[in-house]
Amino acid sequence: MKKLPLVLLSALLCFLLAMTGCTPSRQEEQGFQIVTSFYPMYLFTRNLTQGISGVHVVNMTAQNAGCLHDYQLLSRDMKALGSADVFVINGAGMEGFLDKVLEQLPSLPVITASEGIELLCEGEAHGEGASHGHMHEANAHVWLSVPNAIHEVNQIAGGLKALLPGSQSQIEQNRAAYVSRLEALDAELTAALSPVRGAQIISFHEAYDYFAQRYGLTIAGAVETHEGGEPGTRELVETVELIRSHGIRAIFIEPDYQGSAAGILSRETGAQLCTLNPVTQGGDTLTAYEDIMRENASIILEAIQHVG
């Protein structure tokens, strides 16, 4: 009996492996699936898992979805979570849908990045001005203070090390490098914003309390629009009076803001209207968090100094 040529034997072996579903490429494709709840968690996790073979990070919500206050789970979200090995969330009440997820997927491991951070209540960082939000609720936007972001990175890293013991060294190396960059960013923002320390601003979201507390700004008032639509006439009049009485010169909105109230306040008071990104949308680069935070600081500095 003649021996089969080596090329034919190799082809036959590959065919048999493919039929059994045990090819190395298939194993690599399956890998370890990490699903993150939204953009900042995605950025932190991407940095921590950079260069680790077989680990895939998927952002559940679109990278321009904003915060998750009123987010409704989609069937595709549950499908992604159903095949996930771990779900990385911010916590502090941001993911209001979490109970629903765990009801359907009770064994899904969850890493809560904000665990251990002392939370502010919405409106707690404000000056004399009242917030139109719900002051009894915890403010979940902790990642907008860089030290809090560092805490979240460390928290995620610890959870991933426990789930990926074979990649602990690489995760730790990535964590140390990323934290070093974030520490440098924190020092940079502190120095950059020092000339406007104590300045008062109005925001159209409760997102910036941690940022303001860390970098010496005062949020005199915040106008919430994610639950009840635009503020009513009374709220607008009160906010106009607040802006005028405090000499506030800047009103900050977010990239996806579609309302008219901010424009009305700006026209009535002369306060400059500026757009900040609470790191809830952007690109897929590893430095996106740093880039957005630097841009926010630059916008704040320019707005306040320009009109001050």
Side-chain angles (χ1 to χ4, degrees), residues 42-50 146-147 149-150 153-154 171-190 215 284-294:
Y42 175 73
L43 294 178
F44 297 162
T45 306
R46 281 264 286 113
N47 274 276
L48 288 168
T49 58
Q50 179 69 7
V146 179
I150 292 171
V153 168
N154 289 335
I171 293 170
E172 175 55 28
Q173 182 178 328
N174 290 342
R175 185 206 65 79
Y178 193 31
V179 166
S180 179
R181 281 164 35 206
L182 293 178
E183 288 173 344
L185 173 67
D186 183 49
E188 180 183 334
L189 296 183
T190 300
Y215 302 110
D284 198 23
T285 61
L286 293 175
T287 61
Y289 177 84
E290 297 120 285
D291 297 339
I292 293 169
M293 291 290 279
R294 287 190 181 99

Side-chain angles (χ1 to χ4, degrees), residues 213-278:
Q213 184 186 67
R214 177 61 182 175
Y215 302 110
L217 300 174
T218 298
I219 299 178
V223 184
E224 280 295 320
T225 60
H226 66 263
E227 287 185 353
E230 288 281 87
T233 302
R234 179 179 177 180
E235 288 79 12
L236 284 174
V237 170
E238 290 175 351
T239 306
V240 166
E241 292 175 353
L242 176 66
I243 292 170
R244 288 174 174 168
S245 65
H246 287 256
I248 295 168
R249 306 300 296 167
I251 301 170
F252 294 98
I253 60 174
E254 297 182 9
D256 56 355
Y257 175 74
Q258 301 293 326
S260 59
I264 293 171
L265 292 176
S266 179
R267 289 192 298 272
E268 290 293 320
T269 64
Q272 186 175 353
L273 201 59
C274 302
T275 301
L276 297 179
N277 180 356

Side-chain angles (χ1 to χ4, degrees), residues 83-96:
S83 60
D85 293 290
V86 62
F87 188 28
V88 178
I89 68 170
N90 179 76
M94 178 60 70
E95 294 85 356

Side-chain angles (χ1 to χ4, degrees), residues 27-104:
Q27 290 176 344
E28 185 174 353
E29 285 175 6
Q30 291 175 339
F32 186 90
Q33 187 95 331
I34 303 172
V35 174
T36 59
S37 58
F38 71 134
Y39 187 54
M41 300 302 102
Y42 175 73
L43 294 178
F44 297 162
T45 306
R46 281 264 286 113
N47 274 276
L48 288 168
T49 58
Q50 179 69 7
I52 301 177
S53 178
V55 174
H56 311 286
V57 183
V58 176
N59 192 31
M60 189 185 78
T61 55
Q63 287 175 206
N64 61 351
C67 288
L68 302 181
H69 299 290
D70 304 311
Y71 187 79
Q72 299 296 316
L73 284 170
L74 304 174
S75 57
R76 69 185 183 195
D77 298 332
M78 292 307 300
K79 183 178 179 181
L81 290 169
S83 60
D85 293 290
V86 62
F87 188 28
V88 178
I89 68 170
N90 179 76
M94 178 60 70
E95 294 85 356
F97 50 77
L98 183 62
D99 287 345
K100 182 177 180 180
V101 169
L102 295 180
E103 283 176 8
Q104 298 186 46

